[in-house]
Amino acid sequence: MTTQRLDLSQPLSVPQPDTLEPPSGIIIERVQPEIDGGRYPAKRVAGDILEVSADIFKDGHDTIAAVVKYRRKDADDWQEAEMRHVDNDRWVGHFLLTDNTRCVYTIEAFPDRWATWQDEVEKKFDAGQDVALELREGRLILKDALSRASGDDRDALAAAIAVVDNDGNQATTVRILLAPEVEAAMRRARSRRGGKVYDRELEVVVDRLAARYAAWYEMFPRSAGTDPTRGATFAEASQRLPVIAGMGFDVVYLTPIHPIGRAFRKGKNNTIGAGPDDPGVPYGIGSEEGGHDAIEPGLGTLEDFRAFVAAAAALGMEVALDVAFQASPDHLWAKEHPEWFTIRPDGTIHYAENPPKKYQDIYPLNFDTLAWRELWLELRRVILFWVAQGVKTFRVDNPHTKSIVFWEWLIADVQHDHPEVIFLSEAFTRPKVMKALAKAGFTQSYTYFTWRNFKSELEAYFTELTQSEMTEYYRGNLFPNTHDILPFILQEGGRPAFKMRFALAATLSSVYGIYSSYELGENTPVPGREEYLNSEKYEHKVWDWDRPGNIIPYITRINAIRRAHPALHRYDNLRFYPSDDENITAYGKATADGEDRVLIVVNLDPFDAHETWLHLPLAEWGLEPDEPFQVEDLLSGETHLWHAHQHIRLDPHDEPARLYAVRPIRRVSYVEGCG
Amino acid sequence: MTTQRLDLSQPLSVPQPDTLEPPSGIIIERVQPEIDGGRYPAKRVAGDILEVSADIFKDGHDTIAAVVKYRRKDADDWQEAEMRHVDNDRWVGHFLLTDNTRCVYTIEAFPDRWATWQDEVEKKFDAGQDVALELREGRLILKDALSRASGDDRDALAAAIAVVDNDGNQATTVRILLAPEVEAAMRRARSRRGGKVYDRELEVVVDRLAARYAAWYEMFPRSAGTDPTRGATFAEASQRLPVIAGMGFDVVYLTPIHPIGRAFRKGKNNTIGAGPDDPGVPYGIGSEEGGHDAIEPGLGTLEDFRAFVAAAAALGMEVALDVAFQASPDHLWAKEHPEWFTIRPDGTIHYAENPPKKYQDIYPLNFDTLAWRELWLELRRVILFWVAQGVKTFRVDNPHTKSIVFWEWLIADVQHDHPEVIFLSEAFTRPKVMKALAKAGFTQSYTYFTWRNFKSELEAYFTELTQSEMTEYYRGNLFPNTHDILPFILQEGGRPAFKMRFALAATLSSVYGIYSSYELGENTPVPGREEYLNSEKYEHKVWDWDRPGNIIPYITRINAIRRAHPALHRYDNLRFYPSDDENITAYGKATADGEDRVLIVVNLDPFDAHETWLHLPLAEWGLEPDEPFQVEDLLSGETHLWHAHQHIRLDPHDEPARLYAVRPIRRVSYVEGCG
């Protein structure tokens, strides 16, 4: 047993053979947010306050102090925010995320010798003990701090030392040393000896607000025209923009706008062998007219696209593009870079399959290729090309069939220079894969909302999305329909179901979207399937945008309510409330200060009226248990007087969902002044 | 944007600029056991099977495979155990922990190309598609594997390749390639290309069985004699060993046996100013007769101690020593190494305080000393000295007032050469500090059991201890009393309470202990306090070990039941069952194979009888919902026929606790054979 053995010893990270100080006794653990041991960043938006908490303690009885250290990821200088002890060795600190960037944070904790001393001397003095020796010990701590103090603090500490040196009345000396000014000066000048910095630097992606709060409208631009003999151009599609903006949408998401391959092109309703007038599926990207950085000629030119983007921007909307990283057999990639695909033993490129189904019109990229670096760079080039055209939002098609580490790299790399860029993951797959994509960097994610119709499954799923660790990295963008999915509930429930599912999407999450024709209540399926008959995927269509039975006024109203209520701009503030009927779900959202509070009650049965008692959390709302309160029905404009246990009836043929603003009744004093 | 940017890029651990292969798409996360991201080891005992589980998946649709890799920490060669997919991307694997040592484990996962191919070709062939090209692709995978195959596997793969080359009947070729023998050979010869090893190596401390399963008996050896005028010697104390062994104890734990200081020695009942005959507190360690490596002369010599250890060993027991790392003012450390203590401004050593209380007879060590290395080495020397005397178990006094990193180093260091050594943490402090000590390496820990008396608090606490992550690193050694703690329930509940609390301690955990005189029902307190009047801490006593009302037969019986039932040797198998009465708790323990199953029902009220319905989990026990079963009352020997909903009455003045062996009734067939 030699000293050597001690120094090299066991795999403690702590004993440093060349330091004089003993290893710190501070333990910092269970830091939040911290995803998978810091492997992945948390997500917030600019303007948020980040709360960092941790278990922090040390052996023995010393008082400790702790600070959150934080900085922009691209900066070197740390800032600090004091943490405070909450309970049971749990500490918490906060800082403001000012900019759309990435930030790094960690924790430093250390013994607080002055606080320990204060506590000791106070107890002894109160017990009538002589504290002469303790005062000399306090003087040593003050003296040590003096070298770090400046300005007024320096004066305060020097004065305190002089009082001890003066050796006057002990009670007076104690009182002066325990004064708040000395305490404040000591906090600023305190030693961090014996302290420890948490051994991980954690990251938070600070997105812009639209990452969390936006209403999306998906459209096939070619179906936005009026001529049934051909697809619409961007110029024609831009005529639709004022209507879309008028409904209150923030993002216009376009299915792929690139040239469509001819080889194995599909006809109407996914038939094999397209006719000469069949426009093809926009996801079969690439022809002799170009690939992922080109515009389908039927839509117009790159200039036309830029004009479309500008027209949207003038209406306060942005344009999101669909990123489908796959190729038609006619794509230039297939000719110039066959090594980016899977080559079969007969030399052909492996087309997409889901055995026994075959998709000869699509070549998937092979992310296992040895030429992966060139492939990754080309795909990044595509994204940056569109960023250069003013696109700041991308909806990524089937990201789970591509390499997750590729996405992790791509998103971080693009956001390094363009932190404003938003990526939406369109993965409908196994839960852990969907979570992995979100952790890897996707700003938003599709969810199972599309198929969650009943009370218990909805409440369980949204509790997980918004109240579990998922809320740190996964932002569910709720779509009641997509161009690929016409859920049975919309097929069978008709107009009441369209209203009900819209109200849910727009209020359960702060970010949601619909696929166009939703506002028209279009719900003709391929029989027995959750797919649209005569889908726009395979043809260009002309729509009657004012068709009877549409829910455009409803959508417009709910989007206006969303804008007016900041409670609906937050994601993790969703809370469910008990109701007695299995068809009726009730939930609320509020701003952190409680100033804005919205209560939503939805009848999930699109066929029949139901009624129930609601049980509302008055204490949580700052109300007395028996206190009545006002609710304003945000759809009807009516005001009601409500109670903790409130009866409600919802007829889906009238209003399947009710949105209420909750307001305490002003407690007016009827005792007039005498003035 | 250059290739350089890609290679150096973001803090992905993945893209390696100098490898040809793309970064692996495998994700391995939520590995269990893994404590604080692998910062601390899990704990098991030799003979346990370690189950390792994780979420494992990759992008895309490839089938994957995974193995647990494991090795002794002091060895280099990894062994492997195949993992299997359970559900929802959760995988599990197992390996046997054979030796009392430390082991390291991690996970490797990789695409299973052959399994992916099998799946694809099977679906296509079943759908009647031509699979000629797929067979050629299969041949490539076989050929690649051939180079890694040996023996019969090599032959099997070569034969499969030859079948493809032979280009005969496709159905036959498919059948042969999909045969189990080819699958088995491919599993052994498969490529791990595209795979990933989990980025942490995790550790498990494999203790000997006594770490988990033992009954402790604490005693002051000086009070084991018959002469009231002086303390007993080891020789006299060893007369007690057959009695202790007869009660069924495994460990005899001695309070400190070292020379006791004279300075500021305490008299009877903790009075200031000891008389010349007061023996002093054994925790005031160190006098001119020696320190932590010496024997109090009143007890005898080191040889006497070794004889005591040998006498215990001959009875199947081991001796545990009390480690109190502090010094009396007379300790040699205080004279030769004042730098190991806290020196005050007047040059004196800081004695122990809990302001305003003062403990002038104790000098705490200062773990913040700059001479920490010398101090750590000296303390290790003390432990190793006693290990050399045959001591393998240490009960550590107040470890939370010493440096936790010191303990982490000390325990790992001692166990490196002496893996059999067991450390029990006597920390009664805040929950997170108690957990931190266990994580840092303590084999066993004291618990709040001593003060958990009522049903809901008992069940909540033991669910946390045995069913949460705590069970991975924290083994609660339950003491219903200690020399410092005579709980109110024992003071007020008398003999029924002593029986009840004993039964709880001996069955809620596989490891427990009592402080001597418990078997006598000694419960005279310092009035109003949870302390013993005339405590052995301050005097030597002479006991009547057969005194009326003792519960020695009860203790003996329950320890015998513990020995006979392997279900009670496990710790994490505790399960509570519902009972309707708030005074009655019911719980069970079973071996993994269900062969041994013990049900315990305890009336927690020491004053009055209570009766209740029990609701027993028959499905969990492998019984039909309405199936009756036998229970053997292990205290009375009676057998009963019971049902899922069973009524029971417990009178604390008769038996406050019932222990039952649960046995399915043998289903005898009354239809005789015709032989």
Side-chain angles (χ1 to χ4, degrees):
Chain A
M1 302 294 164
T2 66
T3 307
Q4 188 62 20
R5 170 85 180 277
L6 167 63
D7 293 346
L8 299 175
S9 74
Q10 310 305 320
L12 291 174
S13 47
V14 259
Q16 297 299 324
D18 50 355
T19 60
L20 202 58
E21 295 280 342
S24 170
I26 297 274
I27 291 179
I28 303 172
E29 54 188 30
R30 294 210 308 136
V31 177
Q32 285 182 329
E34 176 183 295
I35 298 161
D36 293 357
R39 171 68 181 82
Y40 301 104
K43 295 191 178 85
R44 292 293 187 277
V45 304
D48 280 355
I49 288 168
L50 185 69
E51 176 178 303
V52 178
S53 58
D55 290 348
I56 310 177
F57 52 92
K58 78 179 286 292
D59 49 84
H61 302 294
D62 292 349
T63 301
I64 61 172
V67 294
V68 185
K69 297 164 67 80
Y70 59 98
R71 59 175 171 84
R72 286 177 63 115
K73 196 181 176 189
D74 54 13
D76 293 327
D77 52 319
W78 290 99
Q79 293 182 270
E80 292 187 348
E82 192 81 12
M83 298 182 81
R84 67 181 175 81
H85 180 241
V86 183
D87 187 26
N88 190 18
D89 294 317
R90 191 80 187 159
W91 291 67
V92 67
H94 305 85
F95 63 95
L96 178 66
L97 301 164
T98 48
D99 303 326
N100 176 201
T101 181
R102 295 193 176 210
C103 290
V104 172
Y105 57 95
T106 191
I107 290 171
E108 182 171 6
F110 37 87
D112 186 336
R113 287 183 185 75
W114 187 249
T116 303
W117 179 87
Q118 284 177 303
D119 182 58
E120 179 191 345
V121 87
E122 199 159 15
K123 282 179 181 158
K124 289 181 175 176
F125 186 75
D126 288 351
Q129 296 178 5
D130 177 70
V131 292
L133 206 46
E134 285 72 14
L135 291 175
R136 286 170 65 187
E137 287 166 335
R139 185 192 187 283
L140 290 174
I141 305 171
L142 292 165
K143 194 87 173 75
D144 170 69
L146 191 63
S147 61
R148 286 180 299 272
S150 55
D152 290 349
D153 288 346
R154 204 174 157 75
D155 296 344
L157 300 188
I161 291 168
V163 169
V164 179
D165 290 343
N166 202 34
D167 202 17
N169 176 280
Q170 201 171 82
T172 308
T173 308
V174 167
R175 186 173 49 75
I176 291 171
L177 262 62
L178 291 178
E181 311 84 67
V182 177
E183 180 175 298
M186 284 301 284
R187 181 171 305 130
R188 288 182 285 267
R190 67 195 163 190
S191 160
R192 297 195 177 181
R193 193 161 59 81
K196 182 184 228 166
V197 178
Y198 185 55
D199 56 9
R200 294 174 196 146
E201 292 187 0
L202 305 169
E203 194 171 318
V204 56
V205 175
V206 187
D207 290 306
R208 60 190 170 101
L209 181 60
R212 188 179 72 203
Y213 167 58
W216 286 48
Y217 184 87
E218 173 186 0
M219 62 184 286
F220 284 71
R222 70 187 182 189
S223 290
T226 54
D227 183 345
T229 67
R230 60 167 178 83
T233 63
F234 278 128
E236 290 163 331
S238 70
Q239 302 303 311
R240 289 277 300 145
L241 292 173
V243 178
I244 298 165
M247 284 190 282
F249 289 98
D250 307 300
V251 177
V252 177
Y253 143 45
L254 305 179
T255 53
I257 58 173
H258 316 301
I260 299 169
R262 279 255 153 222
F264 301 98
R265 179 180 282 194
K266 298 282 175 68
K268 287 183 184 180
N269 284 304
N270 201 18
T271 47
I272 305 282
D277 295 332
D278 282 322
V281 179
Y283 294 87
I285 296 169
S287 74
E288 57 190 18
E289 282 106 355
H292 284 74
D293 55 358
I295 300 278
E296 162 69 27
L299 289 168
T301 64
L302 191 59
E303 286 64 42
D304 295 335
F305 172 71
R306 282 201 294 249
F308 183 88
V309 171
L315 292 160
M317 296 191 295
E318 62 174 289
V319 171
L321 284 192
D322 203 327
V323 176
F325 279 149
Q326 56 193 17
S328 104
D330 301 327
H331 199 294
L332 209 63
W333 287 346
K335 295 175 187 18
E336 297 191 351
H337 293 286
E339 75 277 10
W340 292 350
F341 300 89
T342 304
I343 311 291
R344 307 197 72 180
D346 65 352
T348 62
I349 291 178
H350 210 318
Y351 51 77
E353 290 185 298
N354 183 11
K357 289 195 218 164
K358 299 165 186 282
Y359 306 93
Q360 289 97 331
D361 56 332
I362 302 288
Y363 287 170
L365 292 165
N366 173 20
F367 283 84
D368 288 335
T369 175
L370 298 185
W372 59 278
R373 268 191 205 78
E374 295 73 19
L375 174 61
W376 286 25
L377 289 171
E378 167 64 3
L379 299 180
R380 184 180 68 183
R381 188 190 65 75
V382 167
I383 297 293
L384 293 176
F385 175 84
W386 293 109
V387 170
Q389 311 311 316
V391 176
K392 296 187 294 183
T393 302
F394 297 92
R395 177 269 196 192
V396 177
D397 189 69
N398 282 331
H400 57 293
T401 61
K402 287 91 190 170
S403 160
I404 297 175
V405 288
F406 159 72
W407 294 121
E408 187 173 13
W409 166 79
L410 179 82
I411 293 169
D413 190 283
V414 169
Q415 289 182 340
H416 181 271
D417 291 343
H418 308 281
E420 72 281 9
V421 175
I422 287 170
F423 292 88
L424 165 61
S425 160
E426 188 259 349
F428 288 117
T429 182
R430 284 136 46 220
K432 287 169 188 172
V433 176
M434 290 170 71
K435 291 179 188 177
L437 287 160
K439 289 180 190 172
F442 277 94
T443 321
Q444 305 172 350
S445 307
Y446 278 58
T447 70
Y448 301 134
F449 165 73
T450 314
W451 300 277
R452 293 290 178 275
N453 296 316
F454 305 117
K455 182 171 171 175
S456 62
E457 64 183 13
L458 257 182
E459 295 188 358
Y461 185 51
F462 278 89
T463 299
E464 187 193 6
L465 280 177
T466 65
Q467 304 307 311
S468 77
E469 193 201 30
M470 277 185 84
T471 198
E472 297 289 357
Y473 62 83
Y474 196 103
R475 294 191 190 103
N477 187 337
L478 312 187
F479 277 80
N481 72 329
T482 77
H483 61 263
D484 279 326
I485 310 165
L486 172 63
F488 290 126
I489 193 167
L490 296 179
Q491 299 180 29
E492 295 163 9
R495 195 169 185 276
F498 275 79
K499 287 173 70 177
M500 179 258 285
R501 297 291 296 172
F502 182 83
L504 288 171
T507 58
L508 282 169
S509 173
S510 44
V511 57
Y512 82 98
I514 58 168
Y515 158 57
S516 73
S517 83
Y518 190 97
E519 68 270 37
L520 305 181
E522 172 61 36
N523 67 348
T524 312
V526 175
R529 302 180 62 90
E530 291 195 313
E531 290 170 24
Y532 284 93
L533 189 68
N534 304 322
S535 166
E536 291 182 328
K537 275 177 77 173
Y538 310 104
E539 57 188 281
H540 44 68
K541 302 187 72 133
V542 170
W543 293 93
D544 171 4
W545 296 108
D546 289 318
R547 135 180 148 177
N550 74 65
I551 59 166
I552 291 170
Y554 189 76
I555 288 172
T556 306
R557 179 81 195 127
I558 287 192
N559 276 336
I561 293 168
R562 277 172 53 94
R563 287 205 180 151
H565 286 275
L568 300 175
H569 305 184
R570 283 185 57 204
Y571 181 80
D572 63 355
N573 59 343
L574 178 69
R575 298 292 180 276
F576 288 98
Y577 308 128
S579 68
D580 296 342
D581 188 278
E582 277 311 297
N583 296 288
I584 294 179
T585 182
Y587 50 94
K589 291 193 148 202
T591 49
D593 60 10
E595 285 294 303
D596 184 40
R597 186 177 302 283
V598 179
L599 170 67
I600 300 105
V601 191
V602 185
N603 177 0
L604 300 171
D605 176 355
F607 306 113
D608 289 312
H610 293 279
E611 49 195 302
T612 190
W613 286 97
L614 305 176
H615 308 286
L616 301 169
L618 266 53
E620 202 176 280
W621 296 357
L623 301 175
E624 298 299 319
D626 299 325
E627 189 176 344
F629 54 94
Q630 278 185 11
V631 296
E632 181 192 342
D633 182 326
L634 296 168
L635 289 173
S636 73
E638 292 167 358
T639 294
H640 303 286
L641 189 67
W642 273 28
H643 300 267
H645 302 283
Q646 177 64 39
H647 196 267
I648 188 171
R649 182 175 190 276
L650 292 172
D651 182 343
H653 299 286
D654 172 24
E655 289 298 351
R658 291 281 176 193
L659 288 74
Y660 298 100
V662 177
R663 297 193 188 94
I665 296 177
R666 274 194 204 86
R667 296 186 185 90
V668 180
S669 166
Y670 293 95
V671 181
E672 296 280 335
C674 59
Chain B
M1 303 291 163
T2 66
T3 307
Q4 189 60 20
R5 170 84 180 277
L6 167 63
D7 294 346
L8 300 176
S9 75
Q10 310 305 319
L12 292 174
S13 48
V14 259
Q16 297 299 326
D18 51 354
T19 61
L20 204 58
E21 296 279 344
S24 170
I26 299 274
I27 291 179
I28 304 172
E29 54 187 30
R30 293 212 307 139
V31 177
Q32 287 182 327
E34 176 183 294
I35 299 161
D36 293 357
R39 172 69 182 80
Y40 302 103
K43 295 192 179 86
R44 292 294 187 277
V45 304
D48 280 354
I49 289 168
L50 185 69
E51 175 178 302
V52 179
S53 58
D55 290 348
I56 310 177
F57 53 92
K58 77 179 286 292
D59 50 83
H61 303 293
D62 291 350
T63 301
I64 61 172
V67 295
V68 185
K69 297 163 69 80
Y70 59 97
R71 60 175 172 81
R72 287 176 62 113
K73 196 180 175 189
D74 55 13
D76 293 328
D77 53 318
W78 290 97
Q79 292 181 272
E80 292 186 348
E82 191 81 12
M83 298 183 81
R84 68 180 174 81
H85 180 240
V86 183
D87 185 28
N88 191 18
D89 295 316
R90 193 78 187 160
W91 292 67
V92 67
H94 305 85
F95 63 96
L96 179 66
L97 301 165
T98 47
D99 304 325
N100 177 201
T101 181
R102 293 192 178 210
C103 290
V104 172
Y105 57 95
T106 191
I107 290 172
E108 182 171 4
F110 37 87
D112 186 335
R113 288 182 185 75
W114 188 248
T116 303
W117 179 89
Q118 286 176 303
D119 182 59
E120 178 191 346
V121 85
E122 199 158 14
K123 283 178 180 159
K124 289 180 175 176
F125 186 75
D126 289 349
Q129 297 178 4
D130 177 69
V131 293
L133 205 48
E134 284 72 13
L135 291 175
R136 286 169 66 186
E137 287 166 336
R139 186 190 186 283
L140 290 174
I141 305 172
L142 292 166
K143 194 88 172 74
D144 170 70
L146 192 64
S147 62
R148 286 180 299 270
S150 55
D152 291 349
D153 287 347
R154 204 176 158 76
D155 298 343
L157 299 188
I161 291 168
V163 170
V164 180
D165 291 342
N166 202 33
D167 202 17
N169 176 280
Q170 201 170 81
T172 308
T173 309
V174 168
R175 186 173 48 75
I176 292 172
L177 262 63
L178 291 178
E181 312 85 67
V182 178
E183 180 175 298
M186 284 301 284
R187 181 170 305 131
R188 288 181 286 266
R190 67 194 163 190
S191 159
R192 297 194 176 181
R193 193 160 59 80
K196 182 185 228 165
V197 177
Y198 185 55
D199 56 9
R200 294 175 197 145
E201 292 187 1
L202 304 169
E203 194 170 317
V204 56
V205 176
V206 188
D207 290 305
R208 59 191 172 100
L209 182 59
R212 187 179 72 202
Y213 167 57
W216 286 48
Y217 184 87
E218 174 185 1
M219 63 185 285
F220 284 71
R222 70 186 183 191
S223 290
T226 53
D227 183 344
T229 68
R230 61 167 177 84
T233 63
F234 278 128
E236 290 163 330
S238 69
Q239 302 302 311
R240 288 277 302 145
L241 291 173
V243 179
I244 297 165
M247 285 191 280
F249 288 99
D250 307 300
V251 178
V252 177
Y253 143 46
L254 306 180
T255 52
I257 58 174
H258 316 301
I260 299 169
R262 279 256 155 221
F264 301 98
R265 179 180 281 193
K266 298 282 174 70
K268 286 183 186 181
N269 284 306
N270 202 19
T271 45
I272 305 281
D277 295 332
D278 282 321
V281 179
Y283 295 86
I285 297 170
S287 74
E288 58 189 18
E289 283 104 358
H292 284 73
D293 55 357
I295 301 276
E296 161 69 27
L299 289 167
T301 65
L302 192 59
E303 287 63 44
D304 295 336
F305 173 71
R306 281 201 293 248
F308 183 87
V309 171
L315 292 160
M317 295 190 296
E318 62 175 290
V319 172
L321 283 192
D322 204 325
V323 177
F325 279 149
Q326 58 194 15
S328 103
D330 301 327
H331 200 294
L332 209 62
W333 289 344
K335 296 174 185 16
E336 296 190 351
H337 292 285
E339 74 277 12
W340 293 349
F341 302 88
T342 304
I343 310 292
R344 308 197 72 179
D346 65 352
T348 62
I349 291 178
H350 210 318
Y351 51 79
E353 291 184 297
N354 182 13
K357 290 195 217 163
K358 299 165 185 281
Y359 305 94
Q360 288 97 333
D361 55 332
I362 301 290
Y363 286 171
L365 292 165
N366 172 19
F367 283 84
D368 288 334
T369 175
L370 298 185
W372 59 278
R373 268 192 205 76
E374 295 72 20
L375 174 61
W376 287 24
L377 288 171
E378 167 65 2
L379 299 179
R380 184 181 68 183
R381 190 191 65 75
V382 168
I383 297 293
L384 293 176
F385 174 85
W386 293 108
V387 169
Q389 312 309 317
V391 177
K392 297 188 294 184
T393 301
F394 298 91
R395 176 268 196 194
V396 177
D397 188 70
N398 282 332
H400 57 293
T401 60
K402 288 91 190 171
S403 159
I404 297 175
V405 290
F406 159 72
W407 294 120
E408 186 173 13
W409 166 79
L410 178 83
I411 293 169
D413 191 282
V414 169
Q415 289 182 341
H416 181 270
D417 291 343
H418 307 282
E420 72 281 8
V421 175
I422 287 169
F423 293 87
L424 165 61
S425 160
E426 187 260 349
F428 288 117
T429 181
R430 283 133 51 216
K432 286 168 190 172
V433 176
M434 290 170 70
K435 291 179 188 177
L437 287 160
K439 289 180 191 173
F442 277 94
T443 320
Q444 305 172 350
S445 307
Y446 279 58
T447 69
Y448 301 134
F449 166 72
T450 313
W451 301 277
R452 292 289 178 273
N453 296 316
F454 305 117
K455 182 172 171 174
S456 62
E457 64 183 13
L458 257 182
E459 295 188 357
Y461 185 51
F462 279 90
T463 299
E464 187 193 6
L465 280 177
T466 65
Q467 305 306 311
S468 77
E469 192 200 34
M470 276 184 84
T471 198
E472 297 289 357
Y473 62 83
Y474 197 102
R475 294 191 191 103
N477 188 336
L478 311 187
F479 278 80
N481 72 330
T482 76
H483 61 264
D484 281 325
I485 310 164
L486 173 63
F488 289 126
I489 193 166
L490 297 179
Q491 299 180 28
E492 294 164 8
R495 195 169 186 275
F498 275 79
K499 288 174 69 176
M500 179 258 284
R501 297 291 297 172
F502 182 83
L504 288 171
T507 57
L508 283 169
S509 174
S510 44
V511 58
Y512 82 99
I514 57 168
Y515 158 57
S516 73
S517 82
Y518 190 97
E519 68 270 37
L520 305 181
E522 171 62 35
N523 67 347
T524 312
V526 176
R529 303 182 61 92
E530 291 195 314
E531 289 170 25
Y532 285 92
L533 189 68
N534 303 324
S535 166
E536 293 182 327
K537 275 176 77 173
Y538 310 104
E539 56 188 284
H540 43 69
K541 301 186 74 131
V542 170
W543 293 93
D544 171 6
W545 296 107
D546 290 318
R547 129 181 152 181
N550 76 64
I551 60 166
I552 292 170
Y554 188 75
I555 288 171
T556 306
R557 180 77 197 130
I558 287 193
N559 277 336
I561 293 168
R562 276 172 53 94
R563 287 208 178 149
H565 287 275
L568 300 175
H569 305 184
R570 283 184 56 204
Y571 181 80
D572 62 354
N573 59 344
L574 177 68
R575 297 292 180 277
F576 288 98
Y577 307 129
S579 69
D580 297 342
D581 190 276
E582 278 309 297
N583 296 288
I584 294 179
T585 183
Y587 51 94
K589 292 193 146 203
T591 50
D593 60 10
E595 285 294 304
D596 184 42
R597 187 178 300 284
V598 179
L599 170 68
I600 300 103
V601 191
V602 184
N603 178 359
L604 300 171
D605 175 356
F607 306 112
D608 288 312
H610 293 280
E611 48 194 303
T612 190
W613 286 95
L614 305 176
H615 307 287
L616 302 169
L618 266 55
E620 205 177 276
W621 296 356
L623 301 175
E624 299 298 319
D626 299 326
E627 192 175 343
F629 53 94
Q630 280 184 10
V631 296
E632 181 192 342
D633 183 325
L634 296 168
L635 290 173
S636 72
E638 294 167 355
T639 294
H640 304 287
L641 190 66
W642 273 28
H643 300 267
H645 302 282
Q646 178 64 40
H647 196 266
I648 189 170
R649 181 175 191 278
L650 293 172
D651 182 342
H653 301 284
D654 172 21
E655 288 298 351
R658 289 283 178 192
L659 289 72
Y660 299 100
V662 178
R663 298 195 187 92
I665 295 177
R666 275 193 204 86
R667 296 189 186 86
V668 180
S669 167
Y670 293 95
V671 182
E672 296 280 337
C674 59

